[in-house]
């Protein structure tokens, strides 16, 4: 296995900002829909000014054990993407961010 794999290019080189990008988040088990929605919306508003509730869609898993959310947000800068991603990954209700 080659351990000298080059780092991926910076987000600024891949995306022209402002850009509308999807961020996907998966909840832990036993998290309620309303609680997950409130957390995702609050974090989005904190890191991307002007976000409205219609950017967020949440659906339950087929077995109803967790929720999958998609945030379709227009980001002005790559720093906003990185900040929201880090905040989501650090939150205890969020299991995974894609």
């Amino acid at each position: 296995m080659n351990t000298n794999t080059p780092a991926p290019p910076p987000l600024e080189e891949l995306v022209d900002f402002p850009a509308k990008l999807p961020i996907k988040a998966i909840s832990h088990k036993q998290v309620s829909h309303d609680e997950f929605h409130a957390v995702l919306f609050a974090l989005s508003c904190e890191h991307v000014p002007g976000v409205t509730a219609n950017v967020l869609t949440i659906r339950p898993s087929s077995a109803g054990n967790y929720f999958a959310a998609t945030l379709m947000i227009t980001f002005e800068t790559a720093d906003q993407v990185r900040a929201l991603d880090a905040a989501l990954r650090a939150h205890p209700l969020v299991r995974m961010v894609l």
Side-chain angles (χ1 to χ4, degrees), residues 20 23 41 44 50-57 70-74:
K20 191 172 191 176
I23 304 288
F41 185 64
S44 299
V51 167
T52 59
N54 65 343
V55 302
L56 177 57
T57 57
T70 301
L71 297 140
M72 188 58 96
I73 298 176
T74 301

Side-chain angles (χ1 to χ4, degrees), residues 9 13-14 17 29 31 35-36 42 44-45 47 50 58-59 66 70 80 83 86-88 93:
E13 290 181 18
L14 299 173
F17 288 93
K29 291 182 178 181
V31 174
E35 186 177 24
F36 195 50
S44 299
C45 290
H47 295 285
I58 299 178
R59 62 179 177 78
Y66 62 88
T70 301
Q80 287 179 326
L88 290 169
L93 296 185

Side-chain angles (χ1 to χ4, degrees), residues 9-53:
L11 188 57
E12 295 86 348
E13 290 181 18
L14 299 173
V15 178
D16 291 326
F17 288 93
K20 191 172 191 176
L21 302 172
I23 304 288
K24 298 194 182 264
I26 309 297
S27 73
H28 283 285
K29 291 182 178 181
Q30 312 304 325
V31 174
S32 75
H33 177 279
D34 292 344
E35 186 177 24
F36 195 50
H37 184 281
V39 163
L40 296 179
F41 185 64
L43 289 173
S44 299
C45 290
E46 182 180 331
H47 295 285
V48 185
V51 167
T52 59

Side-chain angles (χ1 to χ4, degrees), residues 74-93:
T74 301
F75 294 94
E76 295 297 320
T77 67
D79 287 339
Q80 287 179 326
V81 177
R82 287 189 279 270
L84 179 56
D85 180 73
L88 290 169
R89 289 177 189 279
H91 199 281
L93 296 185

